[in-house]
Amino acid sequence: MFALKTLRRQTGAPALPALRLLAAAALAMTLAACSKPAPKAEDVRPVRAIVLASSNVDVNAEFSGEVVARVTSQLGFRVGGKIVERNVEVGTVVKRGQVLMRLDPQDLQLSQAQGKASLNSAQTNRDLARAELKRYQELRDKNFVSQAVLDSKDAAYKAAQAQVEAAQAAYRGQANQSGYASLLADGDGVITRIDAEVGQVVSPGTPVAVLARNGDREVVIGIPEDKVDTMRRVKNVVVRLWADPKQALPGKIREVSPVADPATRTYLAKVTIPNAPEALLGMTAVVQFASTTATPQIRVPLTALFNEKSQSSVWVVENGAVKLVNVTVGGVAGNDLLLSSGVKEGQTVVTAGVNLLKPGQKVSILGAEMAAPAKADPVITAGAAK
């Protein structure tokens, strides 16, 4: 009261507005003290999960590659020279012994003529030495010459005979060189590449054409490091062409490189297609690997496993919350685990963020996928196409 009177004396204004202001402030403080705190929002953690499904498909993988001939020959001249004739193009079907290219034979023919002349000269010297030896043998029989003279004539004849043999070998070699002026196909097949043209001078052994021989065809593929051992054990292999995906051809792994490619870090594998049509050469194909197990298996990614106190577990989602379930790992298949007990088909299992969860925690699933591998195409046993 004293304060109001003092305020009135100092300001000369009524004290009622100030009183109302003080009362409003006191009421606000009272209401704030009596109000309850806002409820805390429930922690819902987003996770990724899969719906478990069992399957007896053990391996289901696909790799693309190119269809090539099992035997491919890089053809080249055995002598050097200038190409004067080319009788084939890329894609030409050739037979064994067919002439593909020719070199200018002039220098080779001159060398052959020189070899023939040397042989004739050696034969003439041999004939003269033989006739002289015969005369001296008659003189020796009459004791007109000594044995030493006869021995020298015999040695001269033998030397002349050796020169003839050497000249014959040289002549045959020159004749072969002349024959090498023609490049012949060493088997039936098709020309897949031409590396030289008319007028080009080539050295001996330089590849000038590539011949893909008739016979089995193969698909060359690259298998990743983590799957190469598994693919080696697969027996049922199916090859499908991109040009005709409905046609399935039986395949067989013929060769797997023992070392990885330094650039791609994949292992080169060759899958043979027995009795394949010749038209497949050069096409793109997909090699499918598929095998089955005796009993269905449940697979989960490695990221789904939660280890605590040497016990393997997974987080199972039920009614929007997670619970920890102990499981038994039956094996490993690539980047997946094979679970033999603890879970069953149809359950939802967390695959990402397992180390940040606690029992009973609410979760929201970002995306659910089926854990079972995709259904494989009908498996074709080698030798029986569907």
Side-chain angles (χ1 to χ4, degrees):
M1 192 68 174
F2 178 77
L4 293 176
K5 291 180 179 180
T6 304
L7 180 64
R8 183 181 298 174
R9 292 191 190 100
Q10 293 176 351
T11 60
L16 184 58
L19 182 61
R20 291 177 178 176
L21 182 61
L22 292 174
L27 179 61
M29 295 176 62
T30 302
L31 293 177
C34 296
S35 62
K36 296 182 179 180
K40 185 178 180 181
E42 188 175 7
D43 182 20
V44 179
R45 183 173 296 279
V47 296
R48 293 192 178 276
I50 58 173
V51 179
L52 299 182
S54 61
S55 173
N56 60 353
V57 177
D58 184 28
V59 178
N60 187 13
E62 294 184 352
F63 304 98
S64 61
E66 179 185 2
V67 180
V68 299
R70 179 171 180 176
V71 179
T72 300
S73 302
Q74 293 188 349
L75 305 180
F77 290 99
R78 300 173 66 173
V79 295
K82 180 180 179 181
I83 299 176
V84 295
E85 181 181 343
R86 179 164 70 85
N87 301 323
V88 293
E89 301 289 344
V90 174
T92 302
V93 178
V94 298
K95 298 294 183 181
R96 182 181 182 88
Q98 181 175 337
V99 178
L100 308 180
M101 298 183 186
R102 295 185 189 275
L103 296 177
D104 184 358
Q106 183 175 359
D107 293 341
L108 299 175
Q109 290 174 351
L110 291 175
S111 298
Q112 183 179 359
Q114 181 182 3
K116 180 63 175 177
S118 298
L119 176 59
N120 292 336
S121 176
Q123 289 175 340
T124 301
N125 293 334
R126 180 201 59 187
D127 294 342
L128 178 60
R130 180 167 52 191
E132 197 167 331
L133 174 61
K134 184 178 180 180
R135 289 195 302 269
Y136 274 81
Q137 285 176 343
E138 294 175 354
L139 294 175
R140 176 56 184 164
D141 294 339
K142 298 177 181 180
N143 205 22
F144 289 161
V145 294
S146 65
Q147 184 62 38
V149 175
L150 180 61
D151 291 342
S152 65
K153 296 302 180 182
D154 182 64
Y157 167 73
K158 291 180 179 179
Q161 179 63 35
Q163 290 179 356
V164 169
E165 294 174 356
Q168 287 177 340
Y171 174 69
R172 285 195 296 267
Q174 294 297 335
N176 290 339
Q177 295 287 315
S178 297
Y180 296 153
S182 297
L183 180 62
L184 307 180
D186 59 353
D188 299 343
V190 59
I191 301 298
T192 60
R193 194 173 76 230
I194 298 292
D195 295 328
E197 297 295 336
V198 174
Q200 182 175 344
V201 177
V202 295
S203 58
T206 302
V208 296
V210 176
L211 172 65
R213 296 194 183 186
N214 295 340
D216 291 344
R217 296 292 184 247
E218 294 182 337
V219 182
V220 180
I221 59 175
I223 302 178
E225 294 179 343
D226 60 338
K227 291 183 172 59
V228 63
D229 290 335
T230 304
M231 297 301 109
R232 291 177 192 269
R233 299 190 296 267
V234 176
K235 301 299 181 182
N236 293 322
V237 182
V238 179
V239 178
R240 296 184 183 275
L241 302 176
W242 281 15
D244 186 11
K246 296 181 180 180
Q247 182 183 12
L249 302 173
K252 181 180 179 181
I253 298 179
R254 183 180 69 86
E255 176 184 309
V256 179
S257 175
V259 295
D261 184 272
T264 63
R265 303 309 304 169
T266 59
Y267 287 78
L268 184 69
K270 297 180 180 179
V271 179
T272 301
I273 311 174
N275 303 319
E278 301 297 334
L280 299 183
L281 190 63
M283 290 187 174
T284 302
V286 174
V287 180
Q288 298 177 333
F289 296 84
S291 65
T292 58
T293 57
T295 58
Q297 297 178 336
I298 292 180
R299 289 192 178 198
V300 296
L302 290 172
T303 55
L305 194 66
F306 179 76
N307 291 314
E308 185 178 19
K309 297 180 180 180
S310 301
Q311 175 62 50
S312 299
S313 308
V314 295
W315 292 102
V316 176
V317 182
E318 290 184 355
N319 300 323
V322 295
K323 69 175 182 177
L324 197 61
V325 176
N326 296 334
V327 295
T328 302
V329 178
V332 179
N335 293 325
D336 294 336
L337 295 175
L338 304 179
L339 302 183
S340 57
S341 65
V343 291
K344 58 184 179 179
E345 185 177 1
Q347 290 183 312
T348 302
V349 172
V350 177
T351 60
V354 296
N355 294 321
L356 302 177
L357 300 177
K358 58 184 179 180
Q361 183 172 9
K362 297 291 184 179
V363 294
S364 62
I365 301 177
L366 298 178
E369 302 174 352
M370 295 301 294
K375 291 293 184 181
D377 293 313
V379 175
I380 297 179
T381 304
K386 297 292 184 183

